[in-house]
Amino acid sequence: MNPTATPEKARIVILISGSGSNMVAIADAVKAGDINADIAAVICNRPEVAGLQKARDRDLDTAVLDHKGFTTREAFDQALMELIDSYDPDLVVLAGFMRILTPAFTAHYHGRMLNIHPSLLPKYQGLNTHQRALDAGESEHGVTVHFVTEELDGGPVAIQAVVPVYDGDDALSLQKRVQVQEHVIYPIAVKWFTEGRLTLSQGTARLDGQPLPDHGLQLRS
């Protein structure tokens, strides 16, 4: 073994469904050298969304697999697995990928698939998180990066960013403030994973071998 050999870079596949803002944050961190990895592909389940052009503008390989062309969720997920695996990724990143995934899919990528969710999980799984937080009178809200498991938005948490809820906030103003933090913490989690620091073991997210608390590492803005 050559002790001076450069380790192979981790290969990342990013899945998007829309604007791709988190994909851009990760891609820009890779380009800047903050994440030592290669983005093997950006895959989208909807043709001609803005995120695809943003990926092309960054000279990233893109692929479209339109879920409307499949009669069942299982058939789509099987085709998606085959497409993802053709790029031989070390990590699959869900960046605004708006699909509920089948158990077979999540099991296939167990321990090597991350998702970002706009709430402080386990609060507000699912949709409309910002309005639900406001309706509940929360004083804090935020965003979570977690490992993907069969439970929707229920996998072990790696990192969260906490933002205050201000008087006069509406869902849009809160969303914008949360999204700023999304673009901070998702590249951090991806960096940790590609460096071998972030792992999933025995149902627990671990950083540098140490179990993370249920809320993961928390950053406050």
Side-chain angles (χ1 to χ4, degrees):
M1 180 176 179
N2 182 356
T4 63
T6 302
E8 287 189 15
K9 291 183 178 181
R11 293 174 58 81
I12 302 171
V13 167
I14 303 178
L15 307 187
I16 66 171
S17 293
S19 68
S21 68
N22 277 299
M23 176 274 295
V24 167
I26 294 166
D28 288 353
V30 169
K31 184 177 180 180
D34 297 330
I35 298 173
N36 184 32
D38 289 322
I39 298 177
V42 175
I43 299 173
C44 186
N45 66 308
R46 295 171 58 200
E48 301 311 316
V49 297
L52 283 170
Q53 189 57 51
K54 292 174 185 176
R56 293 168 187 146
D57 290 344
R58 287 161 174 78
D59 296 322
L60 300 175
D61 286 344
T62 61
V64 176
L65 189 68
D66 191 344
H67 64 273
K68 293 181 180 178
F70 295 83
T71 56
T72 67
R73 191 177 299 277
E74 288 76 14
F76 172 77
D77 278 12
Q78 181 60 42
L80 182 59
M81 277 193 286
E82 292 172 5
L83 178 58
I84 293 170
D85 288 350
S86 71
Y87 293 100
D88 192 26
D90 300 290
L91 174 65
V92 177
V93 173
L94 308 184
F97 188 64
M98 302 302 291
R99 294 283 300 173
I100 296 175
L101 300 168
T102 58
F105 188 95
T106 58
H108 185 67
Y109 297 107
H110 181 77
R112 54 193 181 109
M113 183 161 57
L114 296 174
N115 182 49
I116 192 161
H117 181 75
S119 78
L120 297 175
L121 291 173
K123 290 184 176 181
Y124 310 118
Q125 297 166 316
L127 301 175
N128 303 316
T129 60
H130 310 302
Q131 189 61 54
R132 289 160 63 196
L134 290 170
D135 292 345
E138 298 282 5
S139 62
E140 292 183 327
H141 187 45
V143 58
T144 302
V145 177
H146 65 95
F147 282 99
V148 178
T149 63
E150 183 175 337
E151 181 186 355
L152 177 66
D153 300 328
V157 173
I159 185 170
Q160 292 183 331
V162 181
V163 302
V165 177
Y166 297 133
D167 291 341
D169 262 332
D170 58 19
L172 181 58
S173 64
L174 188 54
Q175 175 188 355
K176 288 180 178 178
R177 201 156 58 254
V178 168
Q179 192 173 60
V180 170
Q181 297 305 315
E182 292 179 21
H183 301 161
V184 172
I185 68 168
Y186 217 173
I188 290 172
V190 171
K191 176 181 174 67
W192 286 346
F193 187 94
T194 59
E195 292 174 344
R197 298 181 59 198
L198 176 64
T199 58
L200 179 62
S201 176
Q202 297 179 331
T204 300
R206 298 174 183 268
L207 185 62
D208 299 327
Q210 298 302 310
L212 285 162
D214 289 344
H215 56 64
L217 188 149
Q218 278 194 338
L219 304 180
R220 292 182 174 270
S221 61

